[in-house]
Amino acid sequence: MIQNPSLPFAVDYAVRYTAVFASFDDFMTPIREHLHALSYSPPGPAHGVPGPSLAFIFDAQKAAEEVFAIFQKWVGGQETGVAIGLSLVARVTGDYVLCVYPDAVQLQARFAPGPLAAHLNTQVVTPAHIKTFPGPSQNLAAFRDAAQDQTVAILPGLKDGALAPGLAIIGVPVRFLEEAELNPSGFEYALLHGVEPSRSPAEPDDHRPEILTRRRQTLLSRYFPVTLERLRFNTAFQGDLRQLADEGYADWQVQQAACNLTLPERLGDLPADQRDAVSVLIELENSPEELSQPEPRWNLESLRTQLERDVRELIGWLAPERAEASLAECQEWLRQRGDLGECT
Amino acid sequence: MTLPAADAPPVLMPDRRVRVFISSTLGEAQEERQAVMQAVSDLELTPIYFEAGARPHSAQTTYRDWLAQSDVFVGIYLKSYGWVGPGMTISGLEDEWQRSAHLPRLAYVKEIHKEIPPGERQPELSRLLAEVGEVAKYHQFRGAEDLAKQVKQDLMALLSERFLNVPLPPSALKVTPGAAPADYPVPVPDLGAIERPGVLAQLTSLLTPGRSLVLTGQPGSGKTTLLKQFAREQGAAYVSLEHKTPLQALLTAGAAVAALRGEHPEFVTTEDAATAALQAQLLRGPITLLVDQADASPAAVRALLGITLGNGQAVYAANAVARDLFGSLPALSVPPLSQEEVEAVLAQEGRTLPPGELIALTNASQGNPLYLRYYLATGSGDLPLDLSAFEDLLWSQMDPVLQELTGLVALSRRPLDAEDLAPLLSAGGHTVTPMSVVRSVEASRGLLKIEDQTIQVFHPHFAGSVAEQLEGNGTARSFHRLLADVALTHRQAAATAFHLREAGDPRLDKHLMEGGRAAFLMGDWNLAADLLQRAETRALEKADLVEAGLAANQLADVLSQMTDEKGAQAAIDRAVERFEESKSPQHALSSRIFRSVLWVKNGRAPEGITELEAARDHIMTLPEVDSQMLAACEVNLSYAYKYVGRLEEARAAAERAAEVFARSGHQEGEHTAVINAAATAAELGDLDRAFELTERLRETARQRPRLEAARQNILTKIYRKRDEPEQAEVHAREAVRLSQQLGSPELEVMNLNTLGNTLIDQERRNEAEAAYREALTIARRVGDIHQEGHALELLSRLPLDAGDPGGARELAEQAMEIQRRYGDNVRVATTGEKLGKAYGQLGRWSDAATVLEESARAFMPSLVDNSGNAWVQAALAWAETGNLTRALQAVAAACKTFLAESAPILPEIQSAEELKPLLLSLSTVDDERYFLGLAARCVVRSSVISGEDGPLDLLVTYLAEQTAEGSVQHNNVLAAVLAENALSGQHLQEVEQTLILGRQNFHSHDEEEARLYTVGVQAPSPFIVQLILVGSGTQLHGLGLAIAMLLAGNETLLSQMQQTYSITTAQDFTIMLTTRSAQEAIAPTSPAVSAAIYQRAFITSLTPGKPNNFLCMIDDTQPIWNTGGTDQRSGGYIQMGIDLTLLLANSWGINTDKNTDFSRDVVSAMLR
């Protein structure tokens, strides 16, 4: 009993997979439907929040808590709210627009935590929402004067005057912009005009074997520390390792295959439609292997099957044109490249 | 059916059952609230909880009223602080807490886990929890199920404590009438009465119904006191026989027994009637009869002994057992007071004496309470004059024969036995046999005693009094003449000369030299000096220069022992002069040898040693080598070498001399040589040989106090080095006593210092200080600067240990100045250690380093450990100045000192640039990572001080590379460096990355606020350890990485340990490592935990129910201080190692009784 062959996980931990991250946090609905007003308070001891503060006044407590829970998620446990993009754009009509969106870098770090951000080719699609308030507003002018060169605190409030300072997020940078002066490549311009923000091109990848080896070794060690040690202690596995080495496989290939064989059990609750390599990596990053990890299970047959999948995964990335080649041809190509240097 | 009592608590209706108010925020704690409500209901209590919803009253009014009607408050806290209602400044959650102050409160906080990472708890809630923690204990919980269980348990405990405890009725607190309160005062003993519970208990245990017992002891030994104590404590009839006829004795005894029974005594007028009356009294019931001063009236004793005791018993107190009176009755002798008892008596009187004076007093009083009381009555150091009146009385009560016998014994220079005394007494006009001498002693009422077949006066002070009596009445001279004849018969030169001198006998001239020499050997230096001075004068009168020279030579030796250095120098100069004048080259050479020794003693050591070596070489070149002279030269050289710390040479010279002296039958020389050899062997740590040599002298030394004093001193050293300080103290005290007996301040000071050391070894610091101070006082009084320096040095250690480096510095500087002046390298070295430590603690690192280097150089080469350690301390001190070059030079010197021949070839370090070559060289030392670690520590500390990162970067890179290549040595040194908390986050990342790629059994998963290290250990029973680091900062990161490295890098060691301890199963385990500040960000640390952390830097606790989960906490809130070598950090690092081994021992199932051994084995291998 090894795994359900219909749900394979083929991952090569040296491959730089491409990931597109998009946030689907729905905070637009509660903002649109329940955000009643913005309320500025000058610096002072009010609510125990330092500096100027901006209360988001809702007409429903549930909506207020939902929106701030999403803001907290963007902040991701940091002490300040730098991960929140907050702009107030004065329109030529005299109205003003509240723009709220998560910081792309922070979002990327949250979706691809740890070394994954550097390991993946990431593209981030950030959610951003706007709400227009009628203007002009003296309150806004006072707020702008007080908060022009510093960060502010934002907190939720209700129409009856109740506030939740415990949910306050401090250190949020706020920008005051004029519609006419918006930078066409900026986020606010794109929001106001409904166009895609511009992106910088990805850097070319380095496929040298030593680079791949280092990358693979780092991630395998990071994601399978317990399994790797148990395999190292296991004399049966060491025997199989030697057997497969005789068949031309590198040690790292066998170890990687054995690690991948643990994935169905470890990531059993990962929906079938998310069993792509990126989802696997994110899940592994977010769920470090613990001592409760079950003993690895394998046999030569399952290892050989997994090895072939993994080889094809690597070839598919390194040399897609060889996708139809036989396993032996792929292995030989890798050997010549120097990827199997550890092979005994 | 039993009805409840009228005042019993009523059965509560369900609605009056205990109401438990459950407080929490509404949204986030839904599951937890539900679980707690169920738990409360399960206990048949009423849960009260506020839920949002339509109510006629406002939310605040509702929950406040409900809270007011509740009996118990349960608070559940997760991460939210809750909403602040209109017009309020605090949230409802906090309001509920504040309004529940009148209730018993239970608080539960969701533990920081992945679900609530640090920082996600709202700051307001953290503040509230801090307040909660100040007034209530709270529990942490993981999930709803865990919480419900805990709440149930706590509520049950609370209810049993709080609601079911019926207060005790007032009657239960009443005290039983007549019962003694615990603090009932113990009766204060009579003035001068000395409580001796041990002796009293012994007396009680020996009493048998129907039988009598004899209690014996010298006059003043405390018999009367003992009997009175017995009477007072146990109820007995006391009667003293002093000045009583038999009838009076019987009547008094009868009256005492009647009084004891609360009756009137019977009126009788005859001895028979009194006997019958007493007999009748005693047969009516058991009575203990105490008969004091029994030897004052033998007739009365006989009368009393004739009475049947029934079931009672009698105790007769007498100075001695008179066999014709008491026959074979069992006897108990009152032992003299021990030194401890003397000390206790003094303490009872509120007095303390320095140890030397205490020894002197115990010795002078011979443990006799009577004499001690005299001392106490006057409070002066001298025994009081009115004791003489007492002694005069004793003397006048003696019959003439006993006076003559006592006089001879008292005046004799040597112990006399009955065989000696019988003819002497006969010569006085009496016919006396040895047997009758013994009978006289027995009849002396204890004033004379027989010990080891010799007859002695009961107390030396009384003997002195008798001698004065005889001097006063002019009979002493004739006694001395008789005693001189006996001494002459026994060929006892000192005694002969003494008695001839005291008798004014002209035969003295022939015995001056021999007597002086013998007196010197016996340690009677005053007599020796007097005899030798007379001998020199007499020889000059006879123009016998050689004889005068010999007398002066011997006199110099005596005066030197008496610390009369000037007199000794003058005497030896006279001797040399007279021998040269008389053209006696052999004698002249001998005197010059001794003169050289005196130079050594008097601060001219180099000159003296040069002279001695020249003399030795000269003797060797003579056509016929005078072996005895050569041996004499060698023995003196051994002394000189030892004096300046050249111990190996000293020992070799002494052993050579002993051999030659033994071959030639020169016992005196042999003894001196053996003593020197023993002393040096002891200094060098060859304790078996030292002990063997002292044993060789045991018999001889009995007769020679000087030799015995030296022997006792060496035995003290031996037992100290054997770590038997109590035994060492016994020998030290004996050495002090002998020094006093010899009248040698020099020896007394030396032995007082040694005594102080034995007391220090036993942590008896106050007593040790008293000994050192007494030594210092005596040394200053007699002008013995050398010993003064030593006492100052020893004293300096006390403030050092007591955390007063300023005081220590002052004393040690004075000592150092003296030691340097004398060129005493041994003391320069040891004082330098202390001074260096004091400077270090004062932060004067440069001074510390300089003096420690001086100390390191001053230690004799054989004392490798001492010298090496001083170099180590110097290296660390230089590092603290930021001078890495000097530090590395000292490291190299330490390495060369410790390893000697096996030391690697080290570069001559001229600058810190040589760091890499030095590290490479030190790395070649097999099985020794000590020096590499030392160099690393110097680099780290000097980098911290100077801010120079270059060497530190180099060090970290070098160690990491070597570690990645599999070097255990470098791995463990790097772990130590990491634990120093001097590395930057970048350094730590570099090390971590190198390990990930270089060590297959090390794995890391780092996140912003948490790191996870996984380490596998391939061993016979392989195991995996996971380290979870919670918190931030380089200290936590460094220590966590260090622990991981110690595990990852020591697979071989851990495998060996499994084999050694027969481990067949090793469990995987998890260590959570956090910092106190990280913990306190979540909840305040309890005082108990704070104290534990403060003391140990790390705490380890087992998570209940999870034997393989451990928590280690680092206190990062205390400032870290450094004292050069043994600072908080390294202590913490070692403690970390110990904790780690304890975790291993736990997971390996090692018995707790083996934990210490296991821990020591592993830690010493990992952290050496």
Side-chain angles (χ1 to χ4, degrees):
Chain A
M1 292 297 295
I2 307 304
Q3 64 171 109
N4 181 347
S6 64
L7 296 171
F9 288 91
V11 182
D12 189 297
Y13 297 87
V15 171
R16 187 180 285 276
Y17 293 104
T18 298
V20 178
F21 296 121
S23 167
F24 298 103
D25 296 327
D26 183 12
F27 70 108
M28 187 171 76
T29 307
I31 283 189
R32 185 178 58 236
E33 294 180 4
H34 297 286
L35 181 60
H36 179 71
L38 295 173
S39 170
Y40 157 65
S41 292
H47 325 307
V49 176
S53 62
L54 187 68
F56 285 54
I57 307 297
F58 292 86
D59 58 12
Q61 181 178 326
K62 188 166 177 288
E65 289 181 346
E66 278 175 13
V67 168
F68 270 77
I70 290 167
F71 287 171
Q72 286 286 2
K73 206 164 134 190
W74 293 352
V75 170
Q78 292 180 347
E79 286 182 3
T80 66
V82 288
I84 297 176
L86 181 65
S87 312
L88 287 161
V89 183
R91 303 207 76 154
V92 290
T93 59
D95 298 340
Y96 61 96
V97 179
L98 169 70
C99 301
V100 190
Y101 49 90
D103 183 279
V105 175
Q106 297 290 333
L107 186 68
Q108 176 176 310
R110 185 156 58 81
F111 279 127
L116 277 185
H119 192 79
L120 300 173
N121 275 328
T122 54
Q123 295 172 15
V124 179
V125 177
T126 53
H129 298 279
I130 57 173
K131 177 157 181 135
T132 303
F133 293 92
S137 163
Q138 288 186 342
N139 195 292
L140 173 65
F143 180 54
R144 184 173 54 209
D145 291 344
Q148 189 67 55
D149 299 316
Q150 56 180 313
T151 58
V152 302
I154 58 172
L155 71 164
L158 298 178
K159 281 168 73 178
D160 67 357
L163 292 169
L167 296 178
I169 299 168
I170 60 167
V172 180
V174 58
R175 292 192 297 165
F176 298 92
L177 305 168
E178 297 292 335
E179 184 183 11
E181 298 169 8
L182 288 179
N183 181 349
S185 63
F187 211 79
E188 282 74 12
Y189 185 91
L191 283 174
L192 261 65
H193 294 91
V195 297
E196 278 289 308
S198 62
R199 298 181 193 285
S200 55
E203 288 181 16
D205 203 13
D206 189 342
H207 291 180
R208 280 177 296 164
E210 60 270 25
I211 300 292
L212 300 192
T213 299
R214 189 185 171 97
R215 193 187 293 167
R216 185 184 297 110
Q217 193 175 343
T218 301
L219 285 198
L220 277 173
S221 172
R222 184 176 179 88
Y223 298 145
F224 300 95
V226 175
T227 297
L228 283 172
E229 288 308 313
R230 292 194 173 144
L231 292 171
R232 190 164 71 94
F233 300 158
N234 195 307
T235 49
F237 180 77
Q238 295 304 318
D240 290 347
L241 193 71
R242 285 191 293 277
Q243 165 71 37
L244 291 166
D246 291 342
E247 295 173 21
Y249 290 104
D251 282 1
W252 67 258
Q253 285 182 304
V254 184
Q255 286 162 345
Q256 175 176 266
C259 287
N260 281 340
L261 284 174
T262 68
L263 292 177
E265 197 162 355
R266 184 166 164 192
L267 307 178
D269 52 357
L270 194 67
D273 60 350
Q274 290 179 28
R275 293 192 167 214
D276 60 283
V278 172
S279 299
V280 167
L281 289 173
I282 291 171
E283 189 60 25
L284 291 176
E285 181 61 36
N286 287 328
S287 309
E289 202 175 42
E290 294 180 350
L291 292 176
S292 54
Q293 171 69 22
E295 285 286 335
R297 287 178 292 176
W298 77 93
N299 59 27
L300 271 173
E301 185 191 346
S302 65
L303 278 175
R304 287 193 187 102
T305 307
Q306 184 67 40
L307 278 162
E308 180 166 359
R309 285 189 195 120
D310 294 345
V311 168
R312 294 205 177 279
E313 183 78 2
L314 179 60
I315 291 290
W317 178 65
L318 276 178
E321 69 281 7
R322 296 176 183 273
E324 300 304 316
S326 70
L327 175 63
E329 287 167 344
C330 291
Q331 277 289 86
E332 183 54 32
W333 185 77
L334 289 171
R335 183 183 316 284
Q336 286 179 5
R337 247 179 58 83
D339 287 292
L340 308 186
E342 298 294 315
C343 184
T344 55
Chain B
M1 183 176 155
T2 307
L3 291 170
D7 56 351
V11 175
L12 298 176
M13 296 288 285
D15 68 330
R16 279 297 300 121
R17 286 185 181 152
V18 174
R19 293 169 181 149
V20 180
F21 186 93
I22 301 164
S23 169
S24 74
T25 49
L26 300 182
E28 65 176 359
Q30 200 57 39
E31 195 185 351
E32 284 81 2
R33 284 165 70 84
Q34 209 58 46
V36 171
M37 275 152 49
Q38 188 58 50
V40 172
S41 300
D42 288 350
L43 292 171
E44 307 232 339
L45 309 176
T46 310
I48 306 291
Y49 50 95
F50 176 83
E51 293 284 11
R55 285 194 184 80
H57 308 291
S58 74
Q60 284 101 326
T61 310
T62 305
Y63 73 66
R64 285 175 184 175
D65 285 355
W66 286 8
L67 184 55
Q69 296 174 63
S70 296
D71 301 302
V72 178
F73 174 92
V74 171
I76 305 165
Y77 306 100
L78 278 74
K79 56 184 180 180
S80 172
Y81 173 70
W83 283 79
V84 180
M88 291 188 65
T89 55
I90 56 173
S91 71
L93 191 72
E94 182 166 2
D95 193 38
E96 287 171 357
W97 169 256
Q98 290 189 358
R99 288 175 182 275
S100 65
H102 64 292
L103 298 177
R105 297 192 281 198
L106 300 170
Y108 301 88
V109 180
K110 180 126 184 178
E111 83 174 22
I112 293 302
H113 196 241
K114 275 190 290 185
E115 293 170 33
I116 307 183
E120 276 208 17
R121 178 161 286 150
Q122 291 182 359
E124 286 78 10
L125 181 59
S126 294
R127 175 189 52 74
L128 172 60
L129 290 179
E131 286 176 26
V132 171
E134 282 175 17
V135 294
K137 182 184 170 191
Y138 60 70
H139 303 276
Q140 294 204 350
F141 66 93
R142 286 205 156 185
E145 195 180 334
D146 178 31
L147 173 67
K149 197 173 157 190
Q150 189 66 49
V151 167
K152 210 182 259 188
Q153 280 178 6
D154 292 346
L155 279 173
M156 284 163 69
L158 179 72
L159 292 173
S160 62
E161 287 167 9
R162 193 158 179 118
F163 294 97
L164 303 183
N165 267 358
V166 180
L168 286 175
S171 60
L173 301 172
K174 279 183 188 164
V175 177
T176 310
D183 58 350
Y184 191 79
V186 176
V188 177
D190 298 338
L191 180 66
I194 295 160
E195 298 279 358
R196 304 185 72 184
V199 183
L200 199 60
Q202 201 181 355
L203 172 65
T204 308
S205 71
L206 287 172
L207 289 176
T208 313
R211 294 213 64 184
S212 296
L213 174 82
V214 187
L215 183 69
T216 64
Q218 301 164 1
S221 62
K223 298 183 296 296
T224 302
T225 304
L226 204 60
L227 290 186
K228 288 186 173 174
Q229 280 176 7
F230 187 96
R232 189 170 58 237
E233 289 178 19
Q234 304 197 17
Y238 172 86
V239 56
S240 169
L241 298 190
E242 195 163 36
H243 310 304
K244 286 192 177 66
T245 63
L247 175 60
Q248 288 171 317
L250 289 163
L251 288 173
T252 313
V257 173
L260 196 64
R261 292 225 165 95
E263 299 168 356
H264 291 292
E266 204 168 330
F267 180 74
V268 290
T269 54
T270 66
E271 195 174 320
D272 285 348
T275 304
L278 180 61
Q279 180 69 78
Q281 280 274 20
L282 293 176
L283 291 175
R284 277 177 54 204
I287 287 283
T288 303
L289 192 60
L290 304 174
V291 184
D292 202 3
Q293 308 288 348
D295 32 17
S297 177
V301 171
R302 283 194 190 91
L304 289 169
L305 283 170
I307 293 172
T308 305
L309 295 168
N311 284 329
Q313 50 236 331
V315 178
Y316 292 86
N319 291 343
V321 179
R323 300 236 168 263
D324 55 338
L325 202 59
F326 296 113
S328 59
L329 285 180
L332 170 66
S333 174
V334 180
L337 296 175
S338 65
Q339 191 170 302
E340 288 73 25
E341 285 177 312
V342 171
E343 199 172 8
V345 171
L346 291 171
Q348 197 175 300
E349 295 294 314
R351 299 184 196 179
T352 52
L353 288 179
E357 281 189 36
L358 184 65
I359 293 169
L361 176 65
T362 310
N363 204 30
S365 67
Q366 301 242 312
N368 186 308
L370 177 69
Y371 282 177
L372 197 59
R373 279 205 292 275
Y374 273 102
Y375 172 83
L376 290 172
T378 63
S380 71
D382 301 319
L383 293 175
L385 288 174
D386 57 352
L387 182 61
S388 302
F390 172 69
E391 289 167 339
D392 289 348
L393 182 70
L394 291 177
W395 174 253
S396 66
Q397 286 172 343
M398 290 178 174
D399 64 40
V401 176
L402 188 57
Q403 281 190 342
E404 202 167 330
L405 176 58
T406 308
L408 285 165
V409 172
L411 289 175
S412 181
R413 195 74 184 172
R414 55 174 286 273
L416 298 171
D417 58 21
E419 297 280 346
D420 293 326
L421 285 162
L424 295 180
L425 292 168
S426 299
H430 305 276
T431 305
V432 178
T433 63
M435 189 54 75
S436 61
V437 169
V438 172
R439 277 202 296 274
S440 295
V441 171
E442 285 179 352
S444 72
R445 297 174 59 189
L447 293 172
L448 292 177
K449 59 184 178 180
I450 300 177
E451 276 187 20
D452 294 336
Q453 296 189 333
T454 65
I455 296 165
Q456 297 168 17
V457 178
F458 86 94
H459 199 281
H461 194 269
F462 182 58
S465 160
V466 169
E468 278 179 25
Q469 291 276 352
L470 297 174
E471 298 286 350
N473 66 23
T475 53
R477 281 182 167 233
S478 59
F479 277 76
H480 279 300
R481 196 167 294 117
L482 289 171
L483 290 166
D485 289 339
V486 175
L488 199 54
T489 310
H490 289 287
R491 303 173 64 86
Q492 287 168 330
T496 302
F498 171 77
H499 288 302
L500 288 173
R501 186 188 71 179
E502 298 303 305
D505 194 312
R507 287 178 294 170
L508 174 64
D509 284 358
K510 291 182 189 166
H511 297 276
L512 284 170
M513 276 298 288
E514 196 186 353
R517 195 177 176 75
F520 173 59
L521 292 177
M522 290 170 67
D524 191 345
W525 293 335
N526 283 320
L527 176 63
D530 179 62
L531 295 176
L532 292 166
Q533 274 164 353
R534 286 168 187 253
E536 189 184 359
T537 308
R538 196 54 47 92
L540 286 174
E541 285 169 3
K542 292 191 293 182
D544 186 344
L545 288 176
V546 172
E547 182 77 3
L550 288 170
N553 191 73
Q554 189 69 61
L555 180 62
D557 203 354
V558 174
L559 294 175
S560 173
Q561 293 290 347
M562 294 167 77
T563 20
D564 179 1
E565 301 301 345
K566 280 186 183 170
Q569 197 65 55
I572 197 65
D573 288 344
R574 290 201 303 276
V576 171
E577 188 184 329
R578 274 158 201 159
F579 287 136
E580 285 176 347
E581 200 178 333
S582 65
K583 308 265 189 291
S584 304
Q586 288 290 85
H587 286 132
L589 179 59
S590 172
S591 304
R592 281 203 299 275
I593 289 171
F594 188 56
R595 186 175 62 184
S596 306
V597 177
L598 290 181
W599 285 349
V600 171
K601 279 182 76 176
N602 294 321
R604 296 162 64 185
E607 207 177 335
I609 290 175
T610 306
E611 277 279 307
L612 283 167
E613 287 172 341
R616 180 191 58 193
D617 296 345
H618 171 68
I619 295 165
M620 301 282 279
T621 58
L622 293 174
E624 283 188 25
V625 175
D626 181 340
S627 60
Q628 285 214 1
M629 184 67 79
L630 183 61
C633 194
E634 293 274 29
V635 82
N636 286 315
L637 256 177
S638 76
Y639 172 85
Y641 285 143
K642 181 173 180 292
Y643 203 89
V644 296
R646 293 160 64 176
L647 286 189
E648 290 288 5
E649 291 165 276
R651 181 180 179 176
E655 297 263 14
R656 283 196 301 271
E659 195 184 327
V660 175
F661 280 132
R663 247 197 335 261
S664 59
H666 191 302
Q667 288 190 346
E668 193 188 324
E670 184 191 351
H671 297 150
T672 310
V674 169
I675 277 290
N676 284 2
T680 46
E683 292 276 353
L684 288 164
D686 187 354
L687 303 184
D688 290 343
R689 176 64 177 158
F691 191 76
E692 183 190 323
L693 290 167
T694 56
E695 282 296 291
R696 197 163 133 189
L697 296 175
R698 179 200 275 268
E699 287 305 318
T700 314
R702 281 189 183 173
Q703 306 301 322
R704 300 190 177 174
R706 175 67 188 87
L707 198 60
E708 181 61 7
R711 204 177 75 89
Q712 292 291 339
N713 182 272
I714 295 166
L715 284 168
T716 307
K717 285 181 184 153
I718 290 171
Y719 282 107
R720 279 193 73 207
K721 291 201 172 182
R722 282 184 178 165
D723 203 17
E724 295 179 39
E726 293 91 352
Q727 190 60 31
E729 183 193 341
V730 171
H731 290 290
R733 289 192 184 277
E734 180 60 7
V736 171
R737 190 188 69 76
L738 288 164
S739 309
Q740 290 170 345
Q741 184 184 323
L742 288 162
S744 165
E746 182 193 41
L747 282 181
E748 188 180 356
V749 170
M750 182 179 80
N751 285 309
L752 277 169
N753 279 334
T754 310
L755 173 62
N757 291 340
T758 66
L759 295 166
I760 282 278
D761 294 343
Q762 300 173 67
E763 302 288 323
R764 289 155 61 187
R765 296 184 178 278
N766 291 340
E767 293 171 73
E769 182 172 2
Y772 295 149
R773 292 221 173 270
E774 192 178 14
L776 183 62
T777 305
I778 298 172
R780 282 179 171 160
R781 191 180 70 220
V782 300
D784 185 344
I785 301 172
H786 191 219
Q787 287 297 338
E788 180 187 342
H790 190 198
L792 282 166
E793 179 204 337
L794 294 171
L795 272 171
S796 72
R797 180 178 161 180
L798 298 168
L800 201 57
D801 292 348
D804 172 18
R809 178 199 57 77
E810 202 171 312
L811 291 162
E813 278 182 347
Q814 287 178 49
M816 196 67 170
E817 192 271 328
I818 292 173
Q819 319 290 22
R820 283 182 185 132
R821 180 152 34 106
Y822 270 76
D824 184 346
N825 279 334
V826 174
R827 299 282 161 231
V828 164
T830 53
T831 309
E833 281 181 318
K834 297 178 182 76
L835 188 54
K837 198 170 177 185
Y839 281 141
Q841 288 185 11
L842 290 166
R844 291 171 56 177
W845 291 111
S846 186
D847 290 333
T850 306
V851 82
L852 284 164
E853 285 198 348
E854 183 182 0
S855 168
R857 289 195 181 92
F859 274 114
M860 64 201 82
S862 59
L863 293 181
V864 168
D865 286 354
N866 299 68
S867 179
N869 280 329
W871 280 120
V872 169
Q873 297 302 321
L876 293 166
W878 282 124
E880 291 301 322
T881 68
N883 189 335
L884 183 57
T885 303
R886 292 296 295 268
L888 294 177
Q889 285 168 346
V891 171
C895 182
K896 284 175 189 166
T897 305
F898 275 117
L899 301 182
E901 299 296 320
S902 57
I905 299 167
L906 298 171
E908 289 297 324
I909 299 154
Q910 301 302 324
S911 75
E913 302 300 313
E914 271 97 350
L915 172 63
K916 185 76 182 282
L918 179 69
L919 294 175
L920 289 169
S921 301
L922 292 175
S923 301
T924 63
V925 184
D926 286 342
D927 302 326
E928 277 287 351
R929 65 171 162 275
Y930 180 82
F931 303 106
L932 189 62
L934 178 64
R937 190 153 202 280
C938 288
V939 172
V940 171
R941 291 302 304 159
S942 66
S943 165
V944 169
I945 303 297
S946 68
E948 290 283 334
D949 285 338
L952 188 59
D953 295 343
L954 192 153
L955 176 79
V956 172
T957 304
Y958 167 73
L959 290 174
E961 283 170 0
Q962 297 295 312
T963 300
E965 286 180 16
S967 163
V968 177
Q969 177 190 19
H970 293 83
N971 177 83
N972 292 354
V973 170
L974 182 53
V977 168
L978 290 171
E980 286 276 348
N981 190 27
L983 299 190
S984 63
Q986 196 179 342
H987 282 133
L988 295 172
Q989 289 292 354
E990 177 190 338
V991 171
E992 199 171 312
Q993 195 56 38
T994 312
L995 288 172
I996 290 167
L997 297 172
R999 278 209 175 276
Q1000 62 169 338
N1001 64 338
F1002 174 89
H1003 313 275
S1004 165
H1005 190 123
D1006 60 322
E1007 294 170 18
E1008 281 188 15
E1009 290 290 335
R1011 288 172 194 282
L1012 175 70
Y1013 294 132
T1014 305
V1015 177
V1017 177
Q1018 177 80 289
S1021 296
F1023 62 98
I1024 302 172
V1025 179
Q1026 282 199 320
L1027 272 146
I1028 304 167
L1029 276 56
V1030 180
S1032 55
T1034 52
Q1035 186 183 14
L1036 178 70
H1037 190 176
L1039 276 170
L1041 198 50
I1043 296 175
M1045 287 185 67
L1046 287 180
L1047 287 164
N1050 289 278
E1051 282 190 311
T1052 307
L1053 170 74
L1054 295 171
S1055 294
Q1056 286 166 357
M1057 287 297 151
Q1058 285 195 346
Q1059 281 161 359
T1060 305
Y1061 286 84
S1062 307
I1063 304 304
T1064 52
T1065 311
Q1067 303 284 332
D1068 298 342
F1069 62 94
T1070 304
I1071 303 172
M1072 181 181 280
L1073 189 65
T1074 187
T1075 60
R1076 188 172 170 177
S1077 61
Q1079 171 68 21
E1080 287 187 347
I1082 303 160
T1085 315
S1086 73
V1089 172
S1090 299
I1093 298 170
Y1094 183 75
Q1095 284 169 8
R1096 293 190 52 193
F1098 288 85
I1099 62 160
T1100 305
S1101 64
L1102 304 183
T1103 310
K1106 300 224 171 176
N1108 292 324
N1109 282 353
F1110 304 97
L1111 168 70
C1112 291
M1113 192 182 291
I1114 303 157
D1115 188 1
D1116 57 346
T1117 61
Q1118 298 293 327
I1120 296 171
W1121 46 272
N1122 189 286
T1123 57
T1126 53
D1127 66 73
Q1128 287 284 63
R1129 250 185 307 272
S1130 55
Y1133 177 60
I1134 290 166
Q1135 189 59 54
M1136 177 194 76
I1138 293 169
D1139 282 0
L1140 179 59
T1141 61
L1142 291 177
L1143 302 187
L1144 278 176
N1146 185 76
S1147 76
W1148 289 3
I1150 292 176
N1151 288 339
T1152 46
D1153 57 342
K1154 287 185 184 167
N1155 271 355
T1156 309
D1157 289 345
F1158 175 73
S1159 187
R1160 188 194 53 235
D1161 290 350
V1162 177
V1163 170
S1164 62
M1166 281 185 185
L1167 312 181
R1168 182 174 52 203

